[in-house]
Amino acid sequence: MTRAATARPRGPVAVHGSRASFARYVADAQARGALVVQPRMGFSDPALMRAGLRATKDAAEAVVGTLTIDSYTRVGDELSAVRALNEDHSLNGYPISSLSPHTSRWVLDGVRDPSFPVQVRHGSARPQRIVAALAALGLDATEGGPVSYCLPYGRTPLADSVRNWQQACAFLASLRATGAEPHLETFGGCMLGQLCPPGLLVALSALEAVFFHRAGLRSISLSYAQQTNSEQDVHAIHALRRLAAELLPDTEWHVVLYTYMGLYPRSREGALELLERSAELAVEAGAARLIVKTVAEAHRIPTVAENVEALRVASAAARDAHRTAAAHGTHRTSDGAPPVSDNPVYAEARALIDAVLGLDADLGRALLTAFARGYLDVPYCLHPDNAGRTRSYIDDAGRLTWSEIGSMPIGPVARSSGRLTARGLFDALSFVQSRHDNHFLAPTAPTAPTAPTAPTAAPPGRPRPLAGLSGGTSRR
């Protein structure tokens, strides 16, 4: 028997923690004016994972803990995960299905409680074993989706991912019979990290939420990743909230914002500034939860201390934003949204959603048909099931917009102009990084983009993403 399967930490071990509702925790925090902040943290050493959870638990007023899963487990290669553990090699996340359940319960014992829910984050197109493992630990919150955890991460056929996620969602929904309220977060609003216009991000996030709802889940969060223009981001979050209200009856839902997921500022000051802007955006637009990034994102995987700092900085910025809004009488409530005519992101997303929902009564089949016909088409995504006929660019106001819409049914609502050159792509990828670094780093001479080179080998435990537009080193 392997050491990974028999590891036994010393001390008493609780069977399960409390089964307080993940969504209720977030809703209660939002009702009292607190933004819930959350890291992307995961370690293969159980003692370090436990210490990381304990440190983040006390970092801010409202915090959700994270178990981020390693890359071997994400692709179903538990044998390699166990081999690495037995040879004392660190992985880039927590191998939840390879460690003994006794060990994982020890990691959570006395840490997870009603004041500190824990979510499992993984990035898998084959999530069944991960979902089964988290449920065995008494956990019931995770995230992903049939599209968002397939297209960016490998070559798993989309049809396989849809089937796998149907099975995982059905299993999660069955946990409701045990008295739990399982929570599932879409990852569709974060496709490839950057250069995907908000209308498509919002549509994918909403469609995955409907996919979850039709599987029987009634606690759902809808994701959106901060992009390049704050006004456009506010429109996107408002659109997502409006769509959730329209499409998710009898469901407890909230919006979760991700701090910018592309190339992150290299300077400490620029990184903290961008993090603070994301917290302010969450407050202004009505997002209830924020996935943070740290000052280390442009360089390496962050430490526990850097995650704690990010949580504290984001929480403080959100608190200040709430106070400023209240003082000026501009505080936004979670209800209400601007009219459709004033929100081009909503109009574009709604056009995509209606087109997909009209393809088939079975949403899984509808998603497959939508990608086959190019009704959904993610720019710069190299997955074989993505048509690859769309392109985007950043306009003079910093907004992400379309230069080529392929076969997507958004002609009447999408602005399509301009064409992204090789130099333009280089500038677009570093747009946010440069904007926040310019005041803090010495200027350097611009360098023209070079021809692509052969990819280097990925480090052990970290398969290379299929499309390399998700900048930085943070985990999903």
Side-chain angles (χ1 to χ4, degrees):
M1 192 173 288
T2 65
R3 183 174 66 82
T6 59
R8 284 184 172 271
R10 297 177 181 177
V13 177
V15 176
H16 285 168
S18 167
R19 284 203 159 193
S21 165
F22 182 95
R24 177 49 49 194
Y25 174 84
V26 176
D28 288 347
Q30 188 175 33
R32 65 176 187 267
L35 177 68
V36 176
V37 291
Q38 180 178 357
R40 296 178 175 90
M41 193 173 61
F43 305 103
S44 55
D45 178 355
L48 182 57
M49 188 71 255
R50 177 176 170 83
L53 287 171
R54 293 183 68 177
T56 55
K57 179 177 183 176
D58 300 323
E61 177 184 356
V63 183
V64 165
T66 303
L67 288 175
T68 298
I69 306 307
D70 69 286
S71 294
Y72 283 135
T73 302
R74 168 167 65 82
V75 297
D77 188 4
E78 280 94 348
L79 288 177
S80 292
V82 170
R83 187 180 305 115
L85 292 171
N86 288 338
E87 295 174 358
D88 291 323
H89 294 318
S90 295
L91 303 177
N92 67 339
Y94 188 77
I96 194 170
S97 57
S98 298
L99 288 169
S100 161
H102 181 91
T103 298
S104 294
R105 291 186 185 116
W106 172 80
V107 168
L108 296 167
D109 181 39
V111 180
R112 184 212 179 206
D113 59 33
S115 71
F116 185 64
V118 174
Q119 183 192 43
V120 174
R121 307 184 65 84
H122 54 85
S124 180
R126 290 177 279 182
Q128 296 97 315
R129 289 176 62 85
I130 295 171
V131 169
L134 70 89
L137 300 174
L139 298 171
D140 48 35
T142 187
E143 45 77 62
V147 174
S148 58
Y149 269 4
C150 176
L151 266 61
Y153 291 128
R155 292 185 178 272
T156 300
L158 184 58
D160 290 353
S161 181
V162 167
R163 182 176 59 253
N164 293 338
W165 273 93
Q166 285 170 334
Q167 294 172 3
C169 288
F171 176 81
L172 280 170
S174 73
L175 297 179
R176 300 186 73 203
T178 70
E181 189 60 79
H183 182 87
L184 192 49
E185 171 195 323
T186 73
F187 196 70
C190 308
M191 290 290 296
L192 298 181
Q194 57 185 323
L195 295 190
C196 187
L200 180 57
L201 293 178
V202 168
L204 288 170
S205 193
L207 285 166
E208 289 192 330
V210 174
F211 183 95
F212 300 161
H213 183 271
R214 292 187 179 180
L217 290 154
R218 293 298 179 267
S219 179
I220 297 169
S221 50
L222 299 90
S223 67
Y224 177 73
Q226 178 186 20
Q227 297 296 316
T228 58
N229 179 276
S230 59
E231 181 182 12
Q232 194 177 38
D233 286 339
V234 169
H235 280 168
I237 296 171
H238 283 159
L240 204 48
R241 287 172 32 216
R242 183 186 181 100
L243 288 164
E246 294 169 349
L247 299 172
L248 302 176
D250 304 319
T251 300
E252 193 165 21
W253 59 265
H254 66 268
V255 170
V256 52
L257 175 67
Y258 285 63
T259 300
Y260 185 69
M261 293 177 65
L263 293 176
Y264 215 66
R266 294 163 292 167
S267 65
R268 172 179 172 80
E269 297 87 351
L272 292 176
E273 180 183 68
L274 179 53
L275 174 61
E276 290 173 339
R277 296 296 85 77
S278 69
E280 293 164 358
L281 169 64
V283 171
E284 178 182 2
R289 183 160 51 100
L290 176 70
I291 309 295
V292 306
K293 293 188 81 170
T294 75
V295 296
E297 300 298 333
H299 312 288
R300 53 176 167 75
I301 292 174
T303 64
V304 171
E306 287 162 341
N307 275 293
V308 168
E309 178 190 41
L311 295 170
R312 289 175 175 164
V313 168
S315 184
R319 191 162 53 247
D320 289 345
H322 272 296
R323 289 172 180 163
T324 300
H328 290 84
T330 59
H331 197 278
R332 296 179 183 269
T333 60
S334 58
D335 59 349
V340 176
S341 60
D342 296 338
N343 192 331
V345 177
Y346 174 90
E348 184 174 310
R350 187 79 222 200
L352 291 168
I353 291 166
D354 289 345
V356 174
L357 294 180
L359 291 173
D360 198 299
D362 182 293
L363 184 50
R365 289 196 299 263
L367 287 170
L368 297 177
T369 302
F371 277 96
R373 295 184 182 179
Y375 286 11
L376 297 175
D377 190 350
V378 181
Y380 312 107
C381 174
L382 304 181
H383 191 281
D385 289 324
N386 188 66
R389 294 193 294 269
T390 63
R391 291 292 182 268
S392 62
Y393 73 105
I394 299 174
D395 69 14
D396 293 340
R399 289 185 295 264
L400 266 172
T401 189
W402 297 103
S403 57
E404 299 176 33
I405 62 173
S407 299
M408 293 196 304
I410 56 174
V413 295
R415 290 185 254 175
S416 181
S417 61
R419 187 175 181 84
L420 197 62
T421 63
R423 178 69 205 203
L425 177 61
F426 178 81
D427 290 340
L429 290 172
S430 57
F431 178 85
V432 171
Q433 181 188 68
S434 299
R435 183 171 64 191
H436 289 275
D437 271 342
N438 280 344
H439 298 301
F440 306 112
L441 291 179
T444 57
T447 56
T450 58
T453 58
T456 57
R462 188 181 296 176
R464 180 174 298 278
L466 180 63
L469 294 182
S470 296
T473 58
S474 71
R475 330 266 184 67
R476 297 282 74 83

